[in-house]
Amino acid sequence: PQATGVQDRDGVPAIEVARPQTPPRRGRRFVDGDIAEQTAVLAAAIDDLRPHVVVTYDPQGGYGHPDHIHTHRVTTAAVDAAQWEVPKFYWTVTSATAIAAELAQLTDVPAGWTRVSGDDIWFGVPDDAIDAALDVTEHLSAKVAALRAHATQVQVSPDGRACALSNGVALPVGATEFYTLAAGST
């Protein structure tokens, strides 16, 4: 939250995200939480804030992270449970075309990281499944700072152009975010 400028809501601290192999820690992983309770809290926030757009991970949690998959489930259930009808509900996705091009441009990555091609990335979606793209160039430094704030989960290259999870695979830090419209109209 500090890196992005996002503050905790109503004094509720942000929940620490854990890697899939991390054992439960008294419910501190989001995926260990009570889905009905989490859904109710988020549905109440939706009713309170009345957002015109809600964004969450796709059903695979982006790249398969258990907390991200759980976030998708909770957010989807909350959008359905809320009294407020959210006009647009998006999933954040990875463009297969964009990531392939960005991976090809990652020629200088830190020692020990593995370079891959777009063919090695299973979580990219085809361009015709993407409904919106947002240029975040103006906010790229905040995006890199947010990644760096999660140093136990992700490493960021010195130039901020790439990152790597615990598997050491170099991934681009792109300046465009992509979305699929899950509900609502474009």
Side-chain angles (χ1 to χ4, degrees):
Q2 294 85 358
T4 61
V6 176
Q7 300 299 313
D8 294 337
R9 179 161 167 76
D10 299 328
V12 177
I15 297 171
E16 180 183 342
V17 177
R19 294 181 182 174
Q21 68 273 19
T22 304
R25 296 171 298 189
R26 297 181 307 273
R28 289 188 61 204
R29 296 183 314 170
F30 189 56
V31 70
D32 295 330
D34 180 278
I35 192 166
E37 179 183 341
Q38 293 165 333
T39 298
V41 168
L42 184 54
I46 290 170
D47 288 335
D48 179 43
L49 297 171
R50 300 169 54 105
H52 290 265
V53 176
V54 170
V55 178
T56 191
Y57 295 99
D58 64 3
Q60 294 77 34
Y63 58 89
H65 190 294
D67 279 340
H68 299 179
I69 294 167
H70 190 72
T71 298
H72 166 83
R73 291 176 183 152
V74 168
T75 307
T76 301
V79 166
D80 290 342
Q83 296 298 309
W84 170 251
E85 189 171 323
V86 176
K88 293 185 180 188
F89 180 38
Y90 285 98
W91 296 340
T92 183
V93 295
T94 299
S95 162
T97 302
I99 198 166
E102 292 168 340
L103 285 168
Q105 293 172 4
L106 284 182
T107 56
D108 186 27
V109 299
W113 290 15
T114 303
R115 288 189 60 226
V116 297
S117 73
D119 294 335
D120 298 312
I121 302 298
W122 64 268
F123 51 83
V125 300
D127 288 347
D128 62 0
I130 295 171
D131 297 302
L134 184 61
D135 181 347
V136 297
T137 302
E138 288 183 40
H139 308 284
L140 202 51
S141 62
K143 182 177 177 178
V144 170
L147 288 167
R148 286 193 169 124
H150 291 84
T152 61
Q153 299 169 21
V154 62
Q155 299 172 28
V156 180
S157 64
D159 64 6
R161 292 183 55 236
C163 64
L165 299 172
S166 59
N167 62 6
V169 172
L171 296 172
V173 178
T176 306
E177 300 287 336
F178 299 94
Y179 305 91
T180 295
L181 186 64
S185 59
T186 55

